[in-house]
Amino acid sequence: MSRVLLENIVKVYQGGFEAVKDACLDIADREFVVIVGPSGCGKTTTLRMIAGLEEITSGQISIGDRIVNDIAPKNRDIAMVFQNYALYPHMTVFDNMAFGLKLRKNSKAEVASRVKDAAEILGIEKLLKRKPKALSGGQRQRVALGRAIVRKPKAFLYDEPLSNLDAKLRVTMRTELKSLHQRLETTSIYVTHDQAEAMTLGDRICVMHEGIIQQVDQPMEVYNRPVNRFVAGFLGTPHMNFVEGKIETVGNSVFFNFSAGKIELPARMNECLNAKNGRDVVFGFRAENVSIASKDDKKSSINAKVEVVEPLGDRLNVYFNIKCMTSEKWLVANLDPHVRLTPGQTLRFKLNMDKTHVFDKGDTGKNLTLQERAEM
Ligand SMILES: Nc1ncnc2c1ncn2[C@@H]1O[C@H](COP(=O)(O)OP(=O)(O)OP(=O)(O)O)[C@@H](O)[C@H]1O
Ligand SMILES: [Mg+2]
């Protein structure tokens, strides 16, 4: 069993900067968890504490059934894959992959067999005699993975392993990594600031911001039910649209009232919002939940001017401007590519209200409209 458990982990660097604040994370045996967040949020620090490369200020880390706080990195039985591969340039691919095993005094035959198996899994059997400089970026990354696989560790720790690759290769390697995990089923913790990588790779994703874990859940759950405005805005391309306004309750109905109009909120939000008349809030909706309203469809729609049309091939991003009293506010819709729109044109955009959110306007930006998850 290789569960990895972080309990109340704190990291304060010399000088007093608190990079990780009371992090709790329970990673199950065989699970693939992705830690995602913007630059500087504490991802690498967290990973390095798990690896033992960084001292923990307070809290406890367990790998398998051992508390590892005081165990040296080399005895933690984990393998780390870095962004810059860290291959030895003067060694062949074989020797790079064998290096860690030889250090651990495995027999020659055992080393050869493990390297061969890993090379086969990664499709690099023919490269074993080459030196790293004679490899492409993708091949180097495979060697770096190979070096981790041969050790058969309790857990893999990945720190942005694909970020040195070009966009196309990143996507290919991402799929390979997922397939690799499905075969090896080794507990994996993967750090990235790329939300697409997080969504596609993780059994669960852990969103971090300013040293604090914001939400840990399955990717679609985090995408559809973000706990706060930060998480909502971080996941998804284009970013979620946010509009500031106020809650207005009229009888049994609840409205979002903003400078360009008033939208009736769906009944599912009544319970959460009907005591919040007059509260400053931020209304959020994703670009894919916007469509063009039919002529007599005034409900749940916003009157707006088309500003920029961006064809993506399979979809169309349309930036539209809602009339606000003093300032302009650009929002974005992701539409079927066959609609014909011209910049300057005015029309009504309809929102799929089932997928909208209302966030607190204050610092926390808490999602005010999350109800308990329905029993599966
Ligand atoms: N040795 C150090 N001493 C002091 N502060 C540090 C040290 N290492 C990192 N930090 C700070 O801790 C914070 C978290 O750093 P960390 O490297 O964990 O971020 P990250 O989430 O991995 O970011 P990135 O996506 O840019 O790699 C940053 O503000 C960073 O400046
Ligand atoms: Mg980092």
Side-chain angles (χ1 to χ4, degrees):
M1 282 287 287
S2 309
R3 173 188 184 198
V4 177
L5 180 64
L6 276 64
E7 294 173 281
N8 309 99
I9 295 302
V10 174
K11 177 67 190 182
V12 182
Y13 279 113
Q14 251 180 354
F17 181 76
E18 198 175 5
V20 176
K21 300 168 187 169
D22 199 25
C24 295
L25 186 59
D26 188 353
I27 299 157
D29 183 35
R30 302 178 188 190
E31 196 178 18
F32 198 123
V33 166
V34 180
I35 302 178
V36 66
S39 184
C41 72
K43 305 180 294 293
T44 295
T45 303
T46 305
L47 207 64
R48 286 173 56 84
M49 286 192 284
I50 300 170
L53 302 171
E54 201 68 70
E55 209 176 305
I56 306 167
T57 308
S58 66
Q60 184 169 293
I61 297 182
S62 315
I63 301 174
D65 43 22
R66 280 196 308 177
I67 296 168
V68 296
N69 283 33
D70 299 319
I71 293 179
K74 67 178 172 36
N75 297 328
R76 290 193 183 193
D77 205 4
I78 43 122
M80 195 150 169
V81 182
F82 299 94
Q83 171 180 351
N84 58 9
Y85 326 130
L87 299 178
Y88 298 107
H90 59 286
M91 289 186 194
T92 62
V93 167
F94 180 95
D95 289 333
N96 262 289
M97 284 167 68
F99 188 70
L101 291 179
K102 285 182 182 161
L103 276 188
R104 284 172 180 75
K105 307 224 172 359
N106 288 279
S107 75
K108 224 173 165 180
E110 172 74 9
V111 172
S113 134
R114 286 217 209 167
V115 171
K116 185 171 158 278
D117 288 350
E120 232 165 69
I121 289 173
L122 295 162
I124 52 172
E125 308 100 301
K126 295 210 170 76
L127 307 176
L128 289 173
K129 289 191 179 130
R130 289 203 203 166
K131 299 260 176 73
K133 69 171 184 307
L135 301 175
S136 71
Q139 289 167 336
R140 277 180 213 170
Q141 194 49 272
R142 284 190 194 96
V143 177
L145 285 174
R147 197 172 42 182
I149 293 173
V150 292
R151 303 225 338 248
K152 299 188 178 163
K154 282 214 175 84
F156 290 127
L157 306 182
Y158 299 95
D159 193 356
E160 312 237 11
L162 307 183
S163 55
N164 278 352
L165 307 177
D166 66 52
K168 204 168 162 202
L169 192 54
R170 271 181 91 128
V171 175
T172 316
M173 288 294 294
R174 189 170 86 192
T175 315
E176 280 187 26
L177 264 177
K178 186 154 184 167
S179 148
L180 187 68
H181 178 69
Q182 283 163 2
R183 273 177 290 165
L184 299 179
E185 294 192 317
T186 307
T187 310
S188 298
I189 307 167
Y190 186 106
V191 158
T192 180
H193 60 263
D194 180 334
Q195 47 110 3
E197 247 168 50
M199 290 290 293
T200 50
L201 279 172
D203 293 322
R204 284 187 304 156
I205 63 180
C206 164
V207 184
M208 270 186 101
H209 178 46
E210 294 178 343
I212 298 172
I213 293 180
Q214 308 286 316
Q215 187 167 10
V216 186
D217 215 325
Q218 292 162 15
M220 286 312 287
E221 193 61 23
V222 181
Y223 187 81
N224 289 324
R225 297 164 50 84
V227 294
N228 59 34
R229 214 180 133 181
F230 173 80
V231 175
F234 187 74
L235 295 181
T237 317
H239 295 311
M240 187 182 277
N241 293 297
F242 293 118
V243 182
E244 290 185 10
K246 277 187 195 304
I247 293 294
E248 187 183 319
T249 54
V250 182
N252 281 333
S253 302
V254 182
F255 294 85
F256 170 67
N257 201 340
F258 63 117
S259 60
K262 192 155 123 174
I263 294 178
E264 183 169 359
L265 295 171
R268 71 178 163 92
M269 294 186 184
N270 281 9
E271 204 176 309
C272 312
L273 298 177
N274 64 10
K276 297 191 166 58
N277 190 25
R279 174 102 158 230
D280 286 326
V281 294
V282 177
F283 179 63
F285 57 96
R286 294 196 188 278
E288 72 255 28
N289 301 127
V290 183
S291 56
I292 294 174
S294 60
K295 269 209 180 71
D296 32 38
D297 200 356
K298 291 265 157 57
K299 222 179 156 210
S300 323
S301 65
I302 306 181
N303 202 31
K305 186 173 100 189
V306 174
E307 294 282 357
V308 171
V309 180
E310 282 180 351
L312 302 172
D314 58 337
R315 301 289 293 169
L316 199 64
N317 279 344
V318 176
Y319 292 84
F320 58 97
N321 194 348
I322 56 172
K323 279 186 234 129
C324 286
M325 308 260 225
T326 49
S327 62
E328 298 204 330
K329 175 79 185 165
W330 283 32
L331 301 170
V332 58
N334 184 254
L335 304 174
D336 183 286
H338 303 296
V339 296
R340 293 270 164 267
L341 294 175
T342 325
Q345 176 184 358
T346 303
L347 74 163
R348 291 195 82 81
F349 289 91
K350 185 173 173 64
L351 309 182
N352 175 357
M353 296 304 288
D354 285 344
K355 304 275 185 173
T356 58
H357 304 273
V358 176
F359 303 94
D360 206 351
K361 195 180 165 216
D363 278 350
T364 64
K366 182 173 175 242
N367 189 340
L368 299 171
T369 50
L370 280 187
Q371 279 136 334
E372 291 305 309
R373 200 190 304 192
E375 290 299 323
M376 302 273 192

